Amino acid sequence: MGVHTEPEIRAFLKARRAALDPAELGLPDGLTRRRVRGLRREEVAQLAGISVDYYTRIEQGRANAISEPVLDAIERALRLTDAEARYLRNVAGPRRSAPAPEPERRVRPEIRHLLDALDETVPAYIQGPGMDVLAWNRLAARLAFDYDAIEPARRNNALLIFLDPSARTLHLDWETIAESVVGNLRAEAGRSPESPRLCAVIGELLDHSADFRRLWEAQSVQEKCSGTKRVRHPEAGELVLCYESFRLPQEAEQTLCTYTAPRDSPTDRKLRELARRVGVGAGAR
């Protein structure tokens, strides 16, 4: 069973309607008081220039072959971000009759050599479908979670963020990180709704994490590939890291994730000290 169904489409569009302020869009209250936050269905239809019946069928997942101009109009009416618009197009498209093949999980030797080359000052790892960690260098294993000590089936950043008790101590901005994880998982669900691994990860988190359920139900969609993270390291103290994610062009759903700091900054010096402690050049996993 895939991640998204008709209820998912309805929940997403309803959440986006609720996030908008009618007053900011110049919409009157009407003859009756608003019973819910945000826009009514008829107001979205009006802004999009389509009939209320047609928008209702779209929101309920009952409309087939939605045209590009209509999707464009709905995206403008709901003020969707680029990531949200891509998600809408993914979930509004025709369902696959059979699951797509699971992406390759093997990491090419050349990519492992790259992880080794970065090991002196750059924690780095390869992330696969559902946020599984497929390969990493030694500095990455010392920065946050010790991937070497985690059984393969649990080497998953989403599971670790929500189910590992140490995550809240480790990440000083845990709520922001958690929101980003959920947003990225939902974006991936739009691209690969039938992925067995993705479905398994989301299903486990829905079953075992109240925080994940709360954030998942908010229908946020993100594809955040860069930013800043603050980590409270047990040995090095507080680290302020810039992270970047690079999609590998030859491998479907594999991403290179790196963490850096400005040269000669306190965090840069601490990373170099950590690298000396673990011994660089020992090889990526």
Side-chain angles (χ1 to χ4, degrees):
M1 188 178 202
V3 172
H4 65 64
T5 60
E6 284 75 9
E8 283 288 336
I9 300 171
R10 180 166 58 249
F12 174 71
L13 289 176
K14 184 176 180 181
R16 300 282 64 77
R17 282 198 289 117
L20 294 175
D21 184 349
E24 291 183 0
L25 300 179
L27 295 172
D29 285 337
L31 298 177
T32 59
R33 293 177 60 86
R34 294 179 183 273
R35 292 176 295 176
V36 295
R37 292 185 300 114
L39 303 188
R40 302 182 178 100
R41 283 178 178 170
E42 55 266 30
E43 290 170 329
V44 177
Q46 177 184 350
L47 291 171
I50 60 178
S51 71
V52 177
D53 176 69
Y54 188 33
Y55 177 76
T56 299
R57 286 190 285 120
I58 292 172
E59 187 170 294
Q60 292 177 345
R62 297 187 292 110
N64 296 320
I66 307 170
S67 69
E68 290 289 323
V70 169
L71 287 172
D72 288 341
I74 292 174
E75 291 163 11
R76 289 193 298 270
L78 292 175
R79 307 297 196 268
L80 299 187
T81 65
D82 290 343
E84 290 167 344
R86 283 191 293 271
Y87 179 76
L88 174 62
R89 288 171 183 269
N90 284 328
V91 299
R95 298 292 184 266
R96 299 183 181 94
S97 58
E102 190 73 356
E104 174 64 61
R105 296 175 61 85
R106 184 181 66 88
V107 177
R108 288 190 291 117
E110 294 83 358
I111 301 300
R112 292 181 181 273
H113 296 161
L114 174 61
L115 293 177
D116 285 346
L118 295 172
D119 210 6
E120 183 175 350
T121 57
V122 180
Y125 58 85
I126 302 298
Q127 188 167 269
M131 300 188 72
D132 279 341
V133 178
L134 306 180
W136 59 93
N137 61 20
R138 290 182 179 272
L139 194 51
R142 285 295 294 272
L143 177 64
F145 302 107
D146 185 359
Y147 298 123
D148 294 290
I150 300 171
E151 60 179 289
R154 311 305 296 173
R155 286 177 193 147
N156 178 282
N157 282 327
L159 297 180
L160 291 168
I161 287 295
F162 283 97
L163 302 182
D164 189 320
S166 69
R168 295 172 187 266
T169 301
L170 177 70
H171 291 285
L172 295 173
D173 304 303
W174 183 88
E175 183 75 15
T176 300
I177 300 299
E179 290 174 357
S180 178
V181 167
V182 173
N184 278 284
L185 283 178
R186 186 171 287 283
E188 185 180 345
R191 296 191 303 270
S192 307
E194 307 296 338
S195 167
R197 180 54 178 162
L198 178 63
C199 293
V201 169
I202 293 174
E204 179 172 351
L205 290 172
L206 287 171
D207 286 342
H208 298 291
S209 172
D211 283 313
F212 182 85
R213 289 194 297 274
R214 169 177 57 84
L215 294 172
W216 185 258
E217 289 168 1
Q219 299 291 320
S220 173
V221 181
Q222 298 182 35
E223 291 188 274
K224 196 169 183 181
C225 299
S226 62
T228 302
K229 289 184 180 180
R230 295 190 305 143
V231 172
R232 182 188 290 113
H233 194 273
E235 301 172 40
E238 182 173 338
L239 305 174
V240 181
L241 299 153
C242 302
Y243 70 88
E244 297 284 344
S245 300
F246 308 89
R247 185 67 59 85
L248 300 182
Q250 297 183 39
E251 285 78 17
E253 299 297 336
Q254 286 191 14
T255 302
L256 170 65
C257 303
T258 63
Y259 293 87
T260 60
R263 183 166 291 277
D264 293 327
S265 66
T267 294
D268 178 58
R269 291 192 290 271
K270 291 175 181 179
L271 286 177
R272 292 176 184 274
E273 177 61 27
L274 280 176
R276 283 193 290 271
R277 292 180 187 178
V278 300
V280 299
R285 298 300 178 94

